[in-house]
Amino acid sequence: MECDGILLGMGNPLLDISAVVNQDFLNKYDIKPNNAILAEDKHLPMYDEMAAMPTVEYIAGGATQNSIRVAQWMLPFSGATSYMGSVGKDKYGAEMKKNATASGVNVHYYEDETAPTGTCAVCVLDGERSLVANLSAANCYKVDHLKRLENWALVEKAKFYYIAGFFLTVSPESIQLVAEHAAANNKVFSMNLSAPFICEFFKDPQERALPYMDFVFGNETEARTFSKVHGWETDNVEEIALKISQWPKASGTHKRTTVITQGADPVVVAEDGKVNLFPVIPLPKEKLVDTNGAGDAFVGGFLSQLVQGKPIAECVRAGCYASNVIIQRPGCTYPEKPDFA
């Protein structure tokens, strides 16, 4: 099978500034546990405050980039993945490129000359993470970069695409271009609900992309928010997953599969009018380091098997394996080699 550049991701590359914080810190900056938001002016001082904390760590991040790095880690061949997004022309952008390239991912960053590389505050309390993203340069991605010959070549070469919902805030035009290419060429296009605020405040671009999605990923909180926004009047995650899977499609080549994770509870998979539940790997509380990147890792593991033509059950098993590895380490990091059998 031809695997060179088979999987392409697009998203917001961010440098994670991760630290263990206390409840007072969350209260001070009005941050809810286990949530993801965009930074407002009131949040800006928190980055320097976290940088001065003894537990601080800097990790290459951004939801899509995490998933693509994990997929590449899980795949038995190098060069299978590519990634595009926008960084600043600075040391953080250079460091991120070095990290991603070392992970085996073919990165084609747009380098913005006016804004610094985006950062994401990862506030860890009792193992749960809350994310506050200051997009900066990540917010400056231009569709013209995607249309450049050397970058569009990555789109042409790929057979699978993954874009986190966060990119809807930056370049919905780029998402539509890739989605339409996938539909016209019988390729597989997937996205993530990503955060409640995406479902609430970026409903229109999300709805424009949804008909093109062959796989929709998300967690139970995002699924319930999606249901509420669309007036479905149900909190039942299985029902919601089924309804998302039955949303009209732009192309009939592939059915839509909805995959919803629920933390320690079973993964919900809806397709063909049916729902299946898959248990996750149990983890004792004392082994949990932090949940940052758990959902991203799940998607990366899942996609690593999907691109190899494996059945859905095997894709879910790989997703559960990858997220189980990641939550036992700080941020979205992993050992040198996977031991996924």
Side-chain angles (χ1 to χ4, degrees):
M1 126 185 215
E2 178 54 53
C3 291
D4 188 43
I6 194 169
L7 172 62
L8 170 65
M10 294 182 73
N12 302 333
L14 302 172
L15 185 74
D16 283 354
I17 302 172
S18 179
V20 176
V21 302
N22 55 29
Q23 188 61 49
D24 289 344
F25 184 87
L26 295 188
N27 295 343
K28 177 179 175 182
Y29 290 106
D30 192 22
I31 299 166
K32 291 179 188 154
N34 207 21
N35 197 12
I37 58 171
L38 292 178
E40 299 170 38
D41 287 346
K42 67 181 179 185
H43 297 118
L44 298 181
M46 70 187 288
Y47 297 91
D48 285 341
E49 193 174 333
M50 288 177 72
M53 290 178 179
T55 57
V56 71
E57 291 185 83
Y58 297 90
I59 302 160
T64 306
Q65 186 165 240
N66 285 342
S67 296
I68 296 298
R69 283 172 54 239
V70 169
Q72 181 61 66
W73 172 66
M74 293 276 291
L75 281 161
F77 23 77
S78 61
T81 60
S82 307
Y83 175 80
M84 281 187 261
S86 177
V87 296
K89 224 171 183 175
D90 53 27
K91 64 175 185 185
Y92 284 160
E95 184 64 28
M96 197 131 57
K97 185 168 189 174
K98 193 173 104 182
N99 277 7
T101 306
S103 304
V105 179
N106 178 18
V107 292
H108 282 215
Y109 290 143
Y110 168 71
E111 290 186 345
D112 188 82
E113 311 237 347
T114 60
T117 294
T119 49
C120 182
V122 181
C123 309
V124 180
L125 177 63
D126 298 331
E128 296 290 341
R129 99 293 183 259
S130 285
L131 310 177
V132 184
N134 184 12
L135 296 183
S136 295
N139 206 29
C140 302
Y141 189 81
K142 306 284 189 290
V143 72
D144 296 346
H145 178 261
L146 174 63
K147 289 176 178 174
R148 280 187 210 156
L149 281 177
E150 68 273 24
N151 299 326
W152 190 253
L154 299 180
V155 179
E156 297 272 7
K157 185 189 275 189
K159 295 184 176 68
F160 295 82
Y161 307 91
Y162 175 66
I163 303 176
F166 295 119
F167 203 51
L168 288 165
T169 73
V170 173
S171 188
E173 195 183 348
S174 298
I175 294 173
Q176 284 301 119
L177 266 185
V178 173
E180 287 166 13
H181 168 85
N185 293 278
N186 301 331
K187 297 177 177 184
V188 176
F189 181 76
S190 53
M191 285 192 72
N192 203 309
L193 300 177
S194 288
F197 85 87
I198 298 290
C199 304
E200 288 172 307
F201 305 118
F202 294 86
K203 177 175 177 259
D204 291 348
Q206 189 179 58
E207 282 188 1
R208 281 196 295 276
L210 192 53
Y212 296 92
M213 297 181 206
D214 301 306
F215 285 84
V216 178
F217 296 95
N219 67 27
E220 76 279 32
T221 312
E222 295 149 9
R224 288 182 177 127
T225 304
F226 188 93
S227 172
K228 185 179 166 192
V229 164
H230 289 89
W232 287 351
E233 296 183 354
T234 178
D235 260 354
N236 183 300
V237 174
E238 294 175 40
E239 276 179 45
I240 297 164
L242 202 53
K243 284 173 92 77
I244 293 173
S245 74
Q246 292 166 340
W247 193 284
K249 284 203 89 234
S251 156
T253 309
H254 306 290
K255 63 190 175 186
R256 181 180 299 111
T257 303
T258 310
V259 185
I260 306 294
T261 58
Q262 307 187 91
D265 292 327
V267 178
V268 176
V269 177
E271 58 180 353
D272 295 329
K274 296 192 293 288
V275 174
N276 287 304
L277 300 178
F278 296 88
V280 301
I281 305 163
L283 185 75
K285 181 80 174 165
E286 62 273 14
K287 286 195 168 179
L288 174 70
V289 174
D290 75 58
T291 57
N292 181 30
D296 304 335
F298 176 88
V299 173
F302 188 103
L303 293 173
S304 75
Q305 305 307 299
L306 186 70
V307 303
Q308 296 181 77
K310 301 288 175 67
I312 293 296
E314 196 62 3
C315 297
V316 173
R317 190 172 76 87
C320 292
Y321 163 79
S323 57
N324 183 266
V325 169
I326 263 72
I327 62 177
Q328 296 182 66
R329 302 167 65 91
C332 195
T333 61
Y334 38 77
E336 190 180 342
K337 292 269 186 256
D339 60 359
F340 177 71

